[in-house]
Amino acid sequence: MIGAMRPVIIAANWKMNTTPADAGDLARAIAGRTREPDVVRVICPPYVCLAAVRDAVAGEGIGVGAQNVHQELAGAHTGEVSAPMLAGLATWVILGHSERRRDAGESDALVGRKLGRAVEAGLRPILCVGEQLAEREAGQAVAVVERQLAGALAGHDPATLLAAGLVIAYEPVWAIGTGRNASGADAAAMAEAIRAALRASGWGTGADDVPILYGGSCTSANIAEFLAEPSIDGALVGGASLKPDEMAGMVGRAAITAAARRAAGA
Ligand code: PGA
């Protein structure tokens, strides 16, 4: 599968880091160090920092994303944020991150409901999937990811999700925040399994249009291994995304892949 026509995306997941007082400065520093027009850049700060980041990167061509949305539109859900509330603040959203599956008990079905709300609100979803270490060691990694995908995508029309620009992030849980990244070959094999699963569930050739990112201890030092794989279209980055130098290195490397794809597709 040649990924010639898919965009190359570097998405920063700041998790529960930064404050409204310092997020704008960090976003500005990243923007200034990552001006590569062929790379899709996204920053996903905490909800309370969305406005600061939006303002800091205005005119830079950087997407701003939330890290979650609630599955209902409004109502008695103390402490939650719904997709329509993000209007004017975010145009992307991370869904089903393993830390939310762990901390908030999010199930595949719940992630699927959130996906529906995100798409209705015009948010571009980054749907996260990935296996635990024990599942990989038991040879179950592909089966787990297939189950997560099937659960989250059930009832959703592929054409609608394609039009919404669905992105899938493969993030093996054992690689997140551990300094232990997957191999490029393993990530590529999973990306191919994900596209095969989509094809088998009615997506047809649309499966080839879905960008698939790798996530899990991705840094400027190891991103080349992932971007060298034609089936991998970029990265969802946690810890390293808080460092402008690291972002510069990763986006710079992504620009090489984007240029190569452009040349191959021309
Ligand atoms: P990490 O996090 O890069 O810190 O491993 C990635 C993620 O959870 O999206």
Side-chain angles (χ1 to χ4, degrees), residues 47 68-71 76-82 85 100 104 114:
Y47 287 132
N68 176 40
V69 286
H70 197 264
Q71 63 277 12
H77 300 287
T78 302
E80 296 289 348
V81 173
S82 70
M85 291 177 188
R100 291 206 53 83
K114 291 168 181 268

Side-chain angles (χ1 to χ4, degrees), residues 1 27 51 55 100 116 120 131 133 173 180 191 197 226 242 248:
M1 199 0 267
D55 293 347
R100 291 206 53 83
E120 283 163 18
E131 81 287 353
L133 184 57
V173 177
R180 178 182 174 192
F226 301 101
L242 294 162

Side-chain angles (χ1 to χ4, degrees), residues 13 15 97 99 171 175-177 216-218 236-239:
N13 174 10
K15 309 193 180 185
H97 192 281
E99 288 156 10
E171 298 205 310
I176 295 177
S217 298
C218 201
L236 178 58
V237 186

Side-chain angles (χ1 to χ4, degrees), residues 161-185:
L161 294 182
L162 279 170
L166 174 70
V167 174
I168 295 174
Y170 168 56
E171 298 205 310
V173 177
W174 47 270
I176 295 177
T178 59
R180 178 182 174 192
N181 58 282
S183 70

